[in-house]
Amino acid sequence: MPLPLAPPPLTSASAGTTRPWRLALELALGGIALLGLLALLGLPASQAGGTSLPWVTALASMTYLGMAALLWRGLRRGAWPRTSLGPANRVTLARGILVALLAGTLADPALLAAQAAWLFVLALIALALDGVDGWVARRTGSASALGARFDMELDAFFILVLCLALLLLDRVGPWVLAIGAMRYAFVAASWRWAWLAGELPESLRRKAVCVWQVAALMLALLPATPGLIATWLAATALAGLTLSFAVDIRWLYRHR
């Protein structure tokens, strides 16, 4: 599902109560899957030599633990009264594992550069899963406000990770961070001006801008992409995002 500017309302949820042991088990299995992927990443990296895999593992693990803690808190507070994560959230969690791994590589720019093609494939899978979780939610009736919020925040963090990667690899200047920070700046502004937290209508434009952001940043990260083209791709993502936010802010102001 694409990145909206405000969490959508609750759509459906089955009756029941959460079972802590099942939630803990599913989240623990996600952590084990992350460590397995890190181990696979370490094999080619160790052959290349000179990488800081402990730091990569630590940052990726901390990212996943933070994500799991927030998801646990939302589930246990009854935001989604089911007995487990459910099909759609499992797909989103799988995407979160890939994003956590990509975040971990930020601890070692040399590894990020050496394994750029392999990491691009992981990012591409994460992008593909972004559409799968929404489809699964509709087919299984497992859509919820918490699931939509989980997906939304993961989208925002994924974009921020891609921006940081571009900066660390010196592919684009520091201005690229404006793309990843804009969502968080918007949320912070809504604490001061409550009307910014209003619910926005569905928008094909917003969905297209979100997809183009991720696609443009990923293409800019490819080593084969010339520096000038990488800058142009990131600039189009920033321009599209700025225009989209301006349209939505204007709509929220008029309907405040």
Side-chain angles (χ1 to χ4, degrees), residues 168-188:
L168 289 174
L169 292 176
D170 201 24
R171 302 282 291 166
V172 183
W175 58 266
V176 74
L177 295 181
I179 300 174
M182 199 173 298
R183 153 73 185 166
Y184 299 104
F186 179 86
V187 172

Side-chain angles (χ1 to χ4, degrees), residues 16-224:
T17 55
T18 54
R19 297 178 182 176
W21 68 267
R22 289 194 63 175
L23 297 178
L25 178 61
E26 289 183 303
L27 293 174
L29 289 174
I32 293 172
L34 173 62
L35 293 176
L37 286 174
L38 284 165
L40 290 176
L41 179 65
L43 293 177
S46 62
Q47 294 173 3
T51 58
S52 305
L53 289 178
W55 291 106
V56 172
T57 302
L59 183 55
S61 300
M62 288 174 59
T63 300
Y64 179 80
L65 287 174
M67 177 179 63
L70 291 174
L71 185 57
W72 171 275
R73 180 173 179 268
L75 289 166
R76 294 300 293 150
R77 288 179 63 185
W80 195 44
R82 297 180 71 91
T83 58
S84 64
L85 285 175
N89 272 353
R90 291 190 188 107
V91 175
T92 310
L93 183 65
R95 185 160 60 94
I97 292 169
L98 297 179
V99 173
L101 189 152
L102 293 169
T105 61
L106 298 177
D108 187 356
L111 173 62
L112 188 61
Q115 303 297 328
W118 195 75
L119 294 171
F120 177 84
V121 172
L122 291 181
L124 190 61
I125 295 173
L127 177 60
L129 289 176
D130 191 19
V132 173
D133 54 7
W135 179 83
V136 170
R138 291 187 294 271
R139 290 295 297 268
T140 61
S142 57
S144 70
L146 178 65
R149 187 60 181 267
F150 179 27
D151 179 78
M152 175 182 67
E153 298 300 342
L154 187 58
D155 281 342
F157 184 68
F158 185 25
I159 290 170
L160 179 59
V161 168
L162 292 175
C163 291
L164 287 169
L166 281 170
L167 180 61
L168 289 174
L169 292 176
D170 201 24
R171 302 282 291 166
V172 183
W175 58 266
V176 74
L177 295 181
I179 300 174
M182 199 173 298
R183 153 73 185 166
Y184 299 104
F186 179 86
V187 172
S190 70
W191 300 339
R192 172 63 179 83
W193 297 284
W195 54 269
L196 286 172
E199 183 181 337
L200 287 162
E202 287 291 324
S203 168
L204 181 60
R205 175 256 310 160
R206 199 178 305 122
K207 297 176 182 179
V209 168
C210 179
V211 172
W212 174 244
Q213 276 184 90
V214 178
L217 294 174
M218 287 173 55
L219 289 172
L221 276 170
L222 283 174

